[in-house]
Amino acid sequence: MLQPQRFAHEVDPGPVQIQARNVAFETADKPMSWIPGHPVASHVVNLLNILLPAGERWFIETFNEALPLIKDPKLADDVRGVIGQEAMHAEAHDTVMNDYLVNSGMNVTPLLDQVEFVFEEILAPAKTDDPRRKMNNLIERLWFIAAVEHYTAVLGDFVLNCTWDDHDADPVMVDLFRWHGAEEVEHRSVAHEVAMYFRNSYFDRIRAMSVVAILMYVFFQRGMRFLVKSDPQLKLGWWKSQRLRMRDSKLGLLPKYRNLLLTQTLVYFKPNYTPEEMGSTAQAVAYLAASPAARAAHL
């Protein structure tokens, strides 16, 4: 199994071309607890298979709306690359959700309906013919994406350096999340740069993050409880689930909520914040060069 830590100190590759990789993962026969002995950690990460497809499609629609208005050729090219990557992320996690979660007997429809309602109704483009209101709404959505992408970069850095390998986690599931995490680190600056391109506003930045941080916390708490209760092999109450989550965080199987949703939120609030602070491009590119799925796609 790949040990991502070995790539952590590679030489900075400099600017990289952001491009999609046509990967595929065989996950239909994977156990629900793909980190053996750690069902809560497995399910917390499994939540991403439910959240990400709708979120990625919303990203793509918003970026496609913004793209014709971007006159900077380099930024426009980066946005096209991110759109390609996000489309592949949505497809991969959609397939995993259906082949892995649904085929395992889990009814994820109630949770999926909530996620889709947020992205398709609450965060949908404004229904207005007023050009000014339309532009303000687009900019607001771009700052929401920038806030979410801050968290995905933090999570991407986490999965590249976590202890899954030490606990015999399933290698295909590990590669799925590390491939995705590496691409999030690779393109971590683009959403922020797009939002800044349209309106360099500290107020818009912290307002968007304030909303996103609350939504993230609620989703992961509710989602973890939902999947744990839906797993017929588990008999865990709320408090027991929380204790196991905290144990798994201490073991490096999950990020600590305090760090993810408090410390990293405060980092984003710094006036001089830049996405480059999150993760290592060298490590991400090195993993993508060695990832079994990415290598197979290249060949």
Side-chain angles (χ1 to χ4, degrees), residues 16-18 73-83 190 193:
V16 297
Q17 182 176 5
I18 299 169
K74 173 63 169 63
L75 183 58
D77 193 49
D78 285 345
V79 170
R80 293 186 192 96
V82 171
I83 288 172
V190 178
E193 290 173 357

Side-chain angles (χ1 to χ4, degrees), residues 223-235:
M224 180 188 77
R225 183 66 186 136
F226 179 87
L227 287 187
V228 168
K229 285 183 67 176
S230 300
D231 189 335
Q233 299 178 12
L234 298 179
K235 301 292 182 183

Side-chain angles (χ1 to χ4, degrees), residues 2-10 283 290:
L2 291 174
Q3 297 292 332
Q5 292 85 349
R6 62 184 278 209
F7 303 124
H9 302 293
E10 295 284 342
Q283 185 184 31

Side-chain angles (χ1 to χ4, degrees), residues 12 27 30 32 34 36 49-50 56 68 82 104 111 124 129 134 140 142 149 167 175 213 241 247 253 268 291-292:
D12 186 345
T27 59
K30 300 306 176 186
M32 295 303 295
W34 55 272
N49 293 310
I50 298 172
E56 306 281 17
V82 171
S104 295
L111 191 57
D129 294 325
K134 198 169 184 178
E140 184 178 57
L142 290 172
E149 288 284 275
H167 294 267
D175 190 35
S241 299
R247 179 204 65 177
L253 298 169
Y268 192 80
S291 157

Side-chain angles (χ1 to χ4, degrees), residues 1 8 11 18 47 53 65 70 126 129 176 181 190 193 220 262 272 293:
M1 186 180 297
V11 176
I18 299 169
L47 276 172
E65 186 180 342
I70 299 174
D129 294 325
L176 164 68
V190 178
E193 290 173 357
F220 275 102
L262 179 60
N272 62 345

